[in-house]
Amino acid sequence: MRKLNTKWMHPRDQIIMIIDKIYKGGLTTTSGGNISIIDDDGDVWVTPSAIDKGTLRPTDIVCVKKDGTIEGRHKPSSEYPFHIAIYKCRPEIKAVIHAHPPALVSFSIVRQIPNTNVIPQAKHVCGPIGYAPYALPGSNELGDVIADEFAKGVNAVIMENHGTVVGGSDLSDAFQRFETMEFCARTLINGSTIGKPNYLSDEQIDAFENQIPRLLPEMEKVEHPSDERAIREQIQRIVLRACDQGMMISSYGTVSVRWKGDDFLITPTNVARWDIQLKDIVQIKDGKREPGKLPSRSTWLHQEIYKRFPHINSIILTQTPYLMAYSVTGEKIDVRTIPESWIFLQDIPNVPFGSHFAGEETILSTLGENTPAVIINNDSVLVTGDKLLGTFDKLEVAEFSAKSLTMGASLGKLVPINQEQIEDLRKKFLS
Ligand SMILES: [Zn+2]
């Protein structure tokens, strides 16, 4: 599996990889948006003007040399002047992404900046967000108003009645910021459809950031028998699938699977989820971690769940666009929508922010045979189950229910399946 290696890969290959993700993720149209990278020689590699984003190839990428000459078989994007303006005023920025993703455009056309204090990692990933007044696309004036914002030290800007532009220390960093910001915007919009979003205080966000993965001691000798390797493959497959299905973003999410006894494998911290490799996954055995690897910040919680619930063999902790509407508003999701939802989930209680931190008992006392999932307010959703694919299925069912409820909110009030009908379902499917 190919990894985005920003140290070794040619800029044009990096750009192709990321533009493909952005297009497939529904974050740009065929014609809109552009990406650039500045290399060590000061040459800027940029997407071409008016070429289909769905079928772009490395040879389509244009190079704007340091002296202004242009190399390549196409014209560079008409918006490349503002990319150059950003690189001039902020030499530490090495990659720029500009696009018109729908949720951020919603903010740009009502002339607001999304408040990233709504989920814990977003403030840290996005940083402060600037706001550039409207100017004609491709004009020097647009370059000036954007550069003015970046000169203040921000790495992300809302472009009035246009879209967004973000910078990063490399393309992976810029993509994570871009994706997280759009996710935040979407969460706020979905949350506002069903209720009123709540925000975290800076202190609560700092508490999350300072929560160093409780450092389990390192094991001396690591073995990777075939059943252990099979779990790595399973975890990688589900993480990539979750990313492709919009059920996980680069900057957040943990998957673990029980190995034997209370030993398990878990995703690491600080690795872009869509880019996860088999070797990144961390083995936890006899309460010790694989040397040199940092397991997820929520490892303690996973460990306790496996110890206390012998029927649980896999766990997914993630952020999905519609379940997060319930998470940020604290509204209770009613899964008595359709038989499938109730049979799979029965009840999804909300628990307060911070419940997944090491040492907290709330989630452990809430989960049970009839409560396979919880929504952590302003944070995420946690789903448990036996086989990993089944747990992922439960997550999908929960997300679809949340989506139907959110979309239905403008049509009318939910009429749930009644108690008698629930009892019939219980008898037929759960006893
Ligand atoms: Zn544009």
Side-chain angles (χ1 to χ4, degrees):
M1 189 125 345
R2 198 164 67 145
K3 188 175 167 103
L4 182 78
N5 188 326
T6 53
K7 190 161 178 214
W8 293 107
M9 265 168 85
H10 193 285
R12 58 182 173 226
D13 297 322
Q14 295 182 42
I15 291 174
I16 295 298
M17 207 165 165
I18 293 294
I19 200 90
D20 183 59
K21 282 196 66 58
I22 290 178
Y23 183 70
K24 286 187 179 142
L27 301 171
T28 187
T29 56
T30 296
S31 57
N34 30 77
I35 292 184
S36 71
I37 290 176
I38 187 163
D39 68 17
D40 294 344
D41 297 328
D43 297 339
V44 175
W45 300 82
V46 61
T47 45
S49 165
I51 306 289
D52 177 9
K53 298 286 185 299
T55 59
L56 214 56
R57 287 181 309 189
T59 47
D60 292 321
I61 303 302
V62 183
C63 181
V64 180
K65 306 289 278 187
K66 200 176 180 181
D67 64 9
T69 53
I70 290 168
E71 282 179 2
R73 54 183 194 184
H74 304 293
K75 284 200 300 188
S77 161
S78 60
E79 292 181 302
Y80 89 88
F82 74 67
H83 290 241
I84 307 280
I86 294 169
Y87 294 129
K88 276 206 176 117
C89 78
R90 291 283 302 283
E92 76 279 23
I93 289 180
K94 301 293 181 194
V96 169
I97 298 176
H98 160 64
H100 320 141
L104 286 169
V105 166
S106 299
F107 276 83
S108 109
I109 59 180
V110 299
R111 305 194 169 182
Q112 290 177 21
I113 296 176
N115 180 345
T116 54
N117 277 32
V118 73
I119 44 173
Q121 87 278 22
K123 181 188 162 202
H124 175 71
V125 172
C126 302
I129 300 172
Y131 186 89
Y134 183 83
L136 185 69
S139 66
N140 287 334
E141 192 198 348
L142 183 62
D144 291 344
V145 291
I146 289 172
D148 283 350
E149 289 302 297
F150 275 88
K152 294 175 189 166
V154 304
N155 290 327
V157 168
I158 294 284
M159 297 161 68
E160 189 172 271
N161 291 89
H162 188 152
T164 186
V165 54
V166 304
S169 56
D170 62 26
L171 193 52
S172 183
D173 180 50
F175 175 70
Q176 181 162 308
R177 183 162 300 117
F178 172 74
E179 188 198 30
T180 304
M181 203 159 108
E182 171 72 359
F183 185 80
C184 245
R186 224 190 282 176
T187 298
L188 289 172
I189 292 166
N190 292 338
S192 305
T193 308
I194 58 152
K196 194 171 173 304
N198 301 312
Y199 294 94
L200 296 166
S201 66
D202 289 343
E203 291 72 32
Q204 285 174 304
I205 289 175
D206 291 345
F208 169 82
E209 289 296 337
N210 295 334
Q211 201 213 155
I212 302 163
R214 182 174 283 204
L215 275 188
L216 299 171
E218 293 187 344
M219 54 184 87
E220 275 164 25
K221 191 162 162 278
V222 199
E223 284 172 352
H224 305 290
S226 301
D227 59 342
E228 192 259 25
R229 292 170 193 233
I231 293 174
R232 283 176 195 270
E233 282 179 355
Q234 258 187 60
I235 291 178
Q236 185 197 40
R237 253 196 319 268
I238 284 292
V239 168
L240 299 182
R241 184 161 167 177
C243 291
D244 285 346
Q245 296 296 109
M247 310 288 273
M248 189 174 280
I249 57 172
S250 307
S251 58
Y252 202 94
T254 303
V255 174
S256 73
V257 170
R258 190 196 292 271
W259 178 21
K260 49 189 177 190
D262 294 338
D263 301 339
F264 58 99
L265 283 99
I266 190 164
T267 47
T269 192
N270 296 339
V271 171
R273 307 310 190 263
W274 68 273
D275 209 11
I276 197 156
Q277 307 294 298
L278 295 176
K279 66 174 167 53
D280 295 332
I281 294 161
V282 190
Q283 184 192 117
I284 308 287
K285 187 169 183 281
D286 301 327
K288 295 182 178 169
R289 70 189 155 109
E290 253 184 283
K293 292 189 187 175
L294 267 193
S296 156
R297 284 188 174 97
S298 59
T299 299
W300 182 86
L301 178 63
H302 290 244
Q303 197 171 25
E304 290 302 311
I305 292 175
Y306 290 127
K307 271 189 205 157
R308 300 189 201 186
F309 300 94
H311 72 282
I312 295 177
N313 291 313
S314 61
I315 303 169
I316 302 177
L317 178 80
T318 188
Q319 296 170 334
T320 60
Y322 291 93
L323 286 167
M324 286 310 288
Y326 289 85
S327 166
V328 302
T329 54
E331 295 284 334
K332 169 102 174 80
I333 183 168
D334 189 340
V335 295
R336 294 174 302 161
T337 50
I338 60 171
E340 184 196 43
S341 293
W342 186 83
I343 293 163
F344 273 67
L345 303 158
Q346 292 143 72
D347 187 30
I348 310 183
N350 292 58
V351 295
F353 178 77
S355 299
H356 61 310
F357 290 6
E360 293 291 329
E361 289 285 329
T362 317
I363 293 176
L364 297 163
S365 57
T366 308
L367 287 174
E369 293 275 1
N370 300 323
T371 313
V374 295
I375 287 176
I376 305 168
N377 288 346
N378 284 95
D379 194 280
S380 54
V381 55
L382 179 130
V383 186
T384 64
D386 181 15
K387 299 260 186 304
L388 184 55
L389 186 62
T391 302
F392 182 70
D393 189 18
K394 259 186 240 175
L395 170 68
E396 283 185 328
V397 170
E399 173 66 3
F400 272 44
S401 302
K403 185 170 181 177
S404 302
L405 286 162
T406 308
M407 294 198 306
S410 63
L411 298 174
K413 211 168 148 8
L414 163 75
V415 184
I417 295 175
N418 70 34
Q419 202 49 41
E420 197 183 324
Q421 292 162 334
I422 292 283
E423 288 314 317
D424 287 345
L425 291 174
R426 194 189 305 279
K427 270 184 227 138
K428 185 164 162 102
F429 294 96
L430 298 182
S431 53

